[in-house]
Amino acid sequence: MNFQGSRRRGEDGIAMVIDFLLSNARLVLGVGGAALLGIATLAVKRLIERAGRAADDEKVEQKMAESWEELSLVSASPTLIKKGLEGVVMKHVAKATRQQKADLCQQPEMSSLEVSKPESKSKRLRLCVLSLQERLQQYYHTRAALSPLEVQRSQALALDICTEIQGFLHSRHPDMPLGEMSLGGSLLDDLQVVSADHACLLVPLKLEDSLWSLIPGEQTLLTHPLHWMVRRANLEYFPRGRSYWDRYLVGGYLSAEAVVNMFNKAIMETVNWPSISSTMDCLVRPVLGGQDLRLEIRPRSEKEEVEGSDQPLFISMLPLLRQGDTVLTAQPELTSPWVNAWHLSLYPWETQHLAQLDAADDGYRRHTLKILKAVCRLNPALRPLKAAPLANLILHLSDSESDWSENSLDVRFQQCITELIGYLEQGALHSYFKPAVNLLSGLSEDQVDQMGFMLYCAVSEPEILLI
């Protein structure tokens, strides 16, 4: 009894040390070091448990030797993780996860209440035996995919706002050369996940072909592939004032920041939003203080709140320029501090290419992308990963893998996890259409460490991402 009591106190002290080390491991040691520390901790814990439970001295010595051998395996170097994520390093995490799943599946002692509820018990047992393929499909339908009614409601609200804004601009600024406004983005392309809570309103600007020229980012002083510039041409023949957009010139170039500021004053600060709110029977108000043009729409009727549709819808206004298949957007939040820079949007190319690949072989690339987007959005550690890196991950993988059928969904999902770990270790995931662009450059070291740690654990047990 004395031995057991002292062992408990010893375990409490060790637990405090372990908690401190693990809570600071990723910050101090990085992804690989934190993973190694976690496995070493499991090995030490097993050593203590074996020493306390064993009655035979010889068995105690034998099991202690086995535990120290396991501990020595993880003390060599982080290359063990790179060489075999499913091997010695990750088997401990896998075993711990499997044990936890087994505990969940294990039937507890029968009580009178449990006997009266056999259906709930059978459901729990069915969840425990689902394959990864079944879990992915279940996750897609319950977490990632949106209901048609929810999508229709959000699109209808966005179209109503589009009509109101376009009518206001035509009445207040009839000389402003604008194209037909329309909806765009993931809500329109059936790529939005979890909830239909954001939409994009495209506001195309009309430029005279003889007065303006688009300069690729590589040919400007910025030398950034995604930061293009719009130069005013033929000033000697057509002086300033010939084009409506000459009033937003800065240094001979059309300023994206000046255009956004103009729309902010002309729409966000001028439109009678309370009047529009009463017309649409919802609360519409601009989101001020940021560099982007955003509106927030909240339902106001009791019927919508009862139906569970009280979630706000955010609509982003996006001034843009089109020339052929090139789309430039005015997004100062992406091109700051360069006031003249326009952002080259790769989203239309990526979305179109994914749709073409799926149409050619009846594949599930977009299906896989929506699952990955939902996983990253619902997992705090993976939330910094946005849609663009995930879409390019699938595009790169499609060059080497041809089977994207429904039956191979689980294999492709696991492969995406492994590939993403490799990109995080390299610190670079290059754009499919612009290889000079690193889509991971905006992530901090701490974010990379947290994402890498989570994905390392998911290599052997991908179900932890589908909780």
Side-chain angles (χ1 to χ4, degrees), residues 6 60 101 138 152 171 191 222 288 307 363 384 392 402 467:
S6 62
V60 171
K101 290 168 63 180
Q138 182 188 61
Q152 183 180 1
S171 62
L191 288 176
L222 305 180
L288 303 177
E307 291 175 352
N392 282 266
S402 58
I467 297 175

Side-chain angles (χ1 to χ4, degrees), residues 185-211:
S186 58
L187 183 63
L188 189 68
D189 298 325
D190 190 28
L191 288 176
Q192 197 159 136
V193 297
V194 181
S195 62
D197 56 1
H198 61 279
C200 190
L201 176 57
L202 306 180
V203 186
L205 280 59
K206 288 184 178 180
L207 297 181
E208 299 85 353
D209 294 337
S210 60
L211 300 182

Side-chain angles (χ1 to χ4, degrees), residues 383-398:
R383 200 164 291 159
L385 271 179
K386 303 303 180 183
L390 299 176
N392 282 266
L393 168 68
I394 294 178
L395 288 174
H396 285 300
L397 195 57
S398 296

